[in-house]
């Protein structure tokens, strides 16, 4: 008579798994409590599975299941990635990288106490903008500035503080939506303003704005078409003409968006200082994008208006901390001194475009037959200069199997490489690879190609 073998339902204990060498890197990367919870969750799932109920623990690799989940959790951490997309200011990739020299220069002020809201000359409490109003004045000629945590906050604060309960005139061609569902009409409604639409999608004139003004009009708001462009039969108003014809009770505010100032590579953009010279009362823009600083919103213009913004109760919600403020200070000082470290990521990337052909030729020679040189285009991205592209070179990786599979594999590397697919080919744009990234980029690709070499 056959003896029935007892089913082994014994699974490893939580502490036993937690001490396993394979999980120690994840304890450091995720914390002991998080890894502990992952272990417990996996053990619970195994106990509830039909396989375990029928066959017990035999053949179930609990450790592998835990490691798999830990890897997924670790991939959610903020980490450095290599940008091979050809988009210099990539919203999904942290927008503008901070220049190492600038980051290092503010390390001391951010790892100790600082004079964030203290006037050292008097010993009394002071404003937290420090030197920034002076620097912005020297840069743009603006009377004053207000710094908030992003340009969306700039728009909301301006509308809430200066136009709540009143009419705001916006061209139909500028009622845009940017990422995350930020819509100009919705923001006007939330800030308590009444939207007055003028013009058409492709044509808005000065008269359209002037004829829409009433005693209840507080503002004309002109909005940068940040992530699209309208071409063909179009007409835009003469901003200087609009500014001259506005009555005193109506403010002219321009959401310039990109932060273009003295840069010469964006022929389609109007600079910040030019808007102020043409009569804009306030202009707001991003601190990263073209400027190349931390994510922030900068509002520059008439001091009487910036003081109102600074005193608005919502300002405390939107104000940035010392890390952002100190980075902006250091960046603007270097920009005013015209040092290379004061140039934004877009400018650096454009200079790099000139060298991408030589780099592509060198890599193709090294990685043949798995790489092909391809003419490409670079974009600034990040909701700025949507109609401008710049010639550069990159690579198409020619590997067996599906391109999507290789795209996923590059993204799973120790330092993830973010590439893209075009016509079912795996593409690597070399223009947006930082100089410090090239070594990691080459070594990881070379290691990956070894899998296909005979």
């Amino acid at each position: 008579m056959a003896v029935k073998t007892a089913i082994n339902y014994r699974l490893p204990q939580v502490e036993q798994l937690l001490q396993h060498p394979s999980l120690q890197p994840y304890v450091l990367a995720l914390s002991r409590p998080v890894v502990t919870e992952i272990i417990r969750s996996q053990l619970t799932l195994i106990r509830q599975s039909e396989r375990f109920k029928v066959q017990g623990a035999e053949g179930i690799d609990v450790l592998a299941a835990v490691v798999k989940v830990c890897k997924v959790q670790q991939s959610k951490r903020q980490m450095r990635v290599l940008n091979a997309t050809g988009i210099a200011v990539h919203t999904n990739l942290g927008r503008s990288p901070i220049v190492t020299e600038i980051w290092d220069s503010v390390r001391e002020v951010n790892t100790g106490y600082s004079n964030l809201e203290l006037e050292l000359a008097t010993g009394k409490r002071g404003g937290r903008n420090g030197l920034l109003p002076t620097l912005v004045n020297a840069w743009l000629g603006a009377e004053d500035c207000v710094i908030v945590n992003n340009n969306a906050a700039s728009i909301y604060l301006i509308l809430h503080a200066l136009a709540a309960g009143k009419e705001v005139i916006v061209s139909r061609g500028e009622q845009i939506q940017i990422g995350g569902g930020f819509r100009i009409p919705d923001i006007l409604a939330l800030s308590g303003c009444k939207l007055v639409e003028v013009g058409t999608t492709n044509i808005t004139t000065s008269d359209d704005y002037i004829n829409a003004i009433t005693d209840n009009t507080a503002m004309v708001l002109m909005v940068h078409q940040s992530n699209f462009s309208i071409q063909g039969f179009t007409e835009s108003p003469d901003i200087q003409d609009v500014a001259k014809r506005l009555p005193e009770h109506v403010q002219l505010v321009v959401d310039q968006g990109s932060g273009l100032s003295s840069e010469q590579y964006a022929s389609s953009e109007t600079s910040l200082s030019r808007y102020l010279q043409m009569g804009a009362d306030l202009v707001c823009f991003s601190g990263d994008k073209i400027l190349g600083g931390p994510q922030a919103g900068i509002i520059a213009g008439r001091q009487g208006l910036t003081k109102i913004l600074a005193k608005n109760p919502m300002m405390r919600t939107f104000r940035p901390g010392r890390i952002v403020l100190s980075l902006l200070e250091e960046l603007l000082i270097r920009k005013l001194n015209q040092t290379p470290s004061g140039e934004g990521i877009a400018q650096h990337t454009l200079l790099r475009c000139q060298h991408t052909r030589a780099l592509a030729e060198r890599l193709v020679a090294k990685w043949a037959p798995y790489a092909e040189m391809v003419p490409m285009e670079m974009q600034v991205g990040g909701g700025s200069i949507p109609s401008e592209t710049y010639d550069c070179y990159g690579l198409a990786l020619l590997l067996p199997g599906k391109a999507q599979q290789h795209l996923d594999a590059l993204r799973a590397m120790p330092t993830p490489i973010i590439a893209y697919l075009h016509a079912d080919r795996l593409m690597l744009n070399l223009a947006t690879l930082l100089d410090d990234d090239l070594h990691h980029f080459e070594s990881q690709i070379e290691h990956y190609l070894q899998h296909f070499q005979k």
Side-chain angles (χ1 to χ4, degrees):
M1 182 177 179
V3 178
K4 189 175 182 179
T5 304
I7 298 176
N8 176 21
Y9 289 103
R10 186 177 180 83
L11 292 169
Q13 295 180 347
V14 172
E15 188 62 30
Q16 179 184 357
L17 287 167
L18 199 57
Q19 296 300 324
H20 197 280
S22 299
L23 292 182
Q24 298 318 297
Y26 298 107
V27 170
L28 294 175
L30 302 174
S31 81
R32 183 183 177 92
V34 168
V35 176
T36 300
E37 182 56 34
I38 290 172
I39 293 171
R40 287 175 176 157
S41 297
Q42 290 304 302
L43 289 173
T44 298
L45 288 174
I46 290 170
R47 292 190 185 99
Q48 292 173 347
S49 68
E50 288 300 318
R51 176 181 174 180
F52 179 76
K53 292 174 182 178
V54 174
Q55 300 179 10
E58 191 68 31
I60 295 179
D61 193 338
V62 181
L63 182 62
V66 171
V67 167
K68 183 178 180 180
V69 177
C70 285
K71 283 183 178 179
V72 173
Q73 290 296 99
Q74 186 178 17
S75 70
K76 297 178 182 179
R77 278 196 63 167
Q78 298 289 316
M79 67 177 70
R80 189 182 186 103
V81 302
L82 309 185
N83 180 4
T85 67
I87 301 173
V89 183
H90 200 304
T91 302
N92 296 349
L93 305 184
R95 301 178 84 162
S96 293
I98 303 297
V99 175
T100 303
E101 292 176 39
I102 293 176
W103 183 265
D104 290 343
S105 69
V106 302
R107 185 190 306 273
E108 186 174 343
V109 73
N110 286 300
T111 55
Y113 296 107
S114 74
N115 60 329
L116 178 65
E117 291 186 3
L118 176 68
E119 289 187 358
L120 293 176
T122 63
K124 297 180 180 180
R125 180 170 181 166
R128 61 170 47 204
N129 283 345
L131 192 62
L132 282 168
T134 302
L135 296 172
V136 171
N137 176 266
W139 175 35
L140 303 176
E143 293 179 3
D144 194 18
C145 70
V146 173
I147 313 297
V148 292
N149 50 30
N150 58 43
N151 198 40
S154 298
I155 293 294
Y156 182 87
L157 180 63
I158 289 170
L159 292 170
H160 183 267
L162 303 179
K166 296 186 177 182
E167 297 171 352
V168 176
I169 303 173
V170 184
S171 167
R172 287 184 172 88
E174 296 176 357
Q175 294 178 40
I176 66 168
Q177 174 175 330
I178 60 175
F182 182 97
R183 292 183 170 187
I184 290 297
D186 294 345
I187 295 303
L188 263 78
L190 286 170
S191 58
C193 304
K194 179 183 178 182
L195 170 64
V196 177
E197 303 179 10
V198 297
T200 63
T201 301
N202 57 320
I203 294 180
T204 301
T205 67
S206 299
D207 286 343
D208 289 329
Y209 287 109
I210 301 304
N211 293 338
I213 294 172
T214 69
D215 291 340
N216 196 41
T217 303
M219 184 182 301
V220 167
L221 176 63
M222 297 183 177
V223 184
H224 180 260
Q225 295 171 350
S226 61
N227 52 8
F228 70 99
S229 62
I230 300 175
Q231 301 178 10
F233 181 51
T234 64
E235 182 179 342
S236 299
D238 182 328
I239 295 175
Q240 198 163 6
D241 181 51
V242 174
K244 287 180 179 179
R245 296 170 64 186
L246 288 178
E248 286 189 13
H249 72 281
V250 180
Q251 312 300 330
L252 175 57
V253 176
V254 177
D255 172 14
Q256 194 264 1
S258 70
L260 180 86
S261 57
S262 57
E263 294 81 9
Q264 300 299 313
Y265 53 80
S267 59
S268 63
E269 291 284 291
T270 302
S271 70
L272 297 165
S273 57
R274 182 62 184 143
Y275 276 123
L276 292 171
Q277 291 165 6
M278 288 190 293
D281 296 295
L282 293 174
V283 60
C284 64
F285 54 98
S286 294
D288 46 7
K289 296 187 178 179
I290 289 179
L291 183 57
Q295 183 168 321
I298 303 175
I299 308 168
R302 286 176 46 199
Q303 189 175 52
L305 298 178
T306 59
K307 295 302 181 187
I308 295 173
L309 300 180
K311 292 179 180 179
N312 187 274
M314 292 302 295
M315 182 61 200
R316 191 172 184 88
T317 303
F318 297 141
R319 69 184 188 183
R322 61 178 176 177
I323 295 175
V324 168
L325 296 173
S326 61
L327 285 168
L328 281 175
E329 271 189 348
E330 187 65 28
L331 173 63
L332 286 180
I333 290 169
R334 291 168 184 256
K335 187 174 186 65
L336 289 169
N337 285 337
Q338 298 183 0
T339 61
S341 57
E343 297 172 343
I345 184 62
Q347 182 67 58
H348 286 295
T349 305
L350 279 169
L351 292 174
R352 200 175 293 115
C353 282
Q354 303 170 16
H355 307 291
T356 52
R357 177 168 190 147
L359 176 58
E361 289 174 344
R362 178 173 67 81
L363 295 177
V364 166
K366 186 196 298 189
W367 295 343
Y370 302 109
E372 173 188 329
M373 185 171 74
V374 179
M376 293 183 176
E377 293 179 336
M378 187 277 288
Q379 293 178 283
V380 173
S384 60
I385 323 181
S387 59
E388 302 274 355
T389 59
Y390 309 90
D391 293 337
C392 61
Y393 285 87
L395 303 176
L397 289 188
L398 312 174
L399 302 171
K402 294 184 177 179
Q404 181 67 51
Q405 175 186 349
H406 301 299
L407 182 73
D408 297 341
L410 297 188
R411 204 173 56 251
M413 287 180 170
T415 305
I417 298 174
I418 312 302
Y420 65 100
L421 300 182
H422 177 70
D424 202 30
R425 302 176 81 196
L426 178 57
M427 313 298 282
L428 299 165
N429 192 309
L430 302 177
T432 46
L433 288 172
L434 303 178
D435 293 338
D436 293 341
D437 291 340
L438 285 177
H439 173 71
H440 293 295
F441 175 77
E442 290 189 43
S443 62
Q444 289 188 137
I445 294 291
E446 286 171 11
H447 183 265
Y448 188 67
L449 293 180
Q450 288 176 4
H451 300 298
F452 308 101
Q453 295 170 351
K454 296 180 180 179

